Amino acid sequence: AAFTSGEFDETSDSIGTTDTLVDPRFIGRWKKDKARSENADEILKVLGVPWAVRVAIRSSPQENSIELDGTLWAETTKNSVVSNIQMVYLDRSEQENVNPMDKSTSTMVSFVDPTSGAVVSESDFPKQKLRQVLTRTVENEGAVYHVENRMTLVAS
């Protein structure tokens, strides 16, 4: 998904995490650019999101906001269907998440890639036999927040 820059709540020279600095251009509000974003319907379907909810998500505008506090990345996603805050620890500690649709659990490890500066989250969904890698980058001199979402089937 691609997001264009919105208003920024705060700025800083850099935000420190354990080993690598988070690019301060991530901080702020971002509006989803649907023309540059892929349809996430199949991913949402696999994760158990009902058809009516997927249609509503697909048709509504989306805004994300990102805040940082040390190693804690807080990303709020808002659209006409949901407002969700995801707390992500960027210190490679394992986090357990619960799927609100079917109550299954997943584990996630997140970090800042020291080479690219990307914020990466790697998740395993045992019930669905899936592995997800989210790679977040800031592009076009800070004008675009890009999220690459790769999901793969895991052999049992």
Side-chain angles (χ1 to χ4, degrees):
F3 296 82
T4 54
S5 178
E7 298 174 28
F8 288 88
D9 297 326
E10 59 183 88
T11 59
S12 131
D13 292 334
S14 60
I15 307 296
T17 61
T18 53
D19 298 327
T20 307
L21 297 177
V22 175
D23 187 328
R25 296 176 300 171
F26 279 111
I27 299 168
R29 289 192 294 222
W30 303 91
K31 294 182 191 273
K32 187 171 188 175
D33 182 346
K34 291 188 178 193
R36 295 184 61 188
S37 301
E38 292 182 18
N39 184 336
D41 201 59
E42 286 302 312
I43 291 171
L44 295 173
K45 183 178 180 180
V46 168
L47 294 175
V49 177
W51 175 81
V53 175
R54 294 194 316 265
V55 169
I57 289 171
R58 186 173 50 239
S59 64
S60 69
Q62 179 177 318
E63 182 177 288
N64 287 37
S65 63
I66 298 168
E67 298 175 29
L68 287 169
D69 183 5
T71 62
L72 179 61
W73 167 287
E75 185 162 355
T76 304
T77 302
K78 292 182 182 180
N79 58 40
S80 64
V81 178
V82 68
S83 178
N84 180 56
I85 299 174
Q86 183 173 25
M87 307 302 267
V88 177
Y89 291 93
L90 300 177
D91 60 2
R92 295 185 183 266
S93 60
E94 187 173 276
Q95 293 177 248
E96 187 172 285
N97 297 307
V98 177
N99 182 331
M101 297 298 159
D102 67 3
K103 307 300 183 214
S104 63
T105 59
S106 62
T107 56
M108 178 175 67
V109 173
S110 300
F111 56 93
V112 179
D113 182 291
T115 304
S116 68
V119 175
V120 179
S121 295
E122 300 172 343
S123 300
D124 290 304
F125 298 84
K127 179 180 178 186
Q128 294 86 355
K129 297 181 178 151
L130 294 172
R131 177 153 177 83
Q132 177 185 46
V133 178
L134 290 177
T135 305
R136 304 167 184 90
T137 54
V138 177
E139 301 173 352
N140 296 344
E141 298 176 7
V144 174
Y145 167 48
H146 183 255
V147 181
E148 178 186 0
N149 186 350
R150 289 180 293 144
M151 291 195 94
T152 54
L153 284 171
V154 177
S156 6

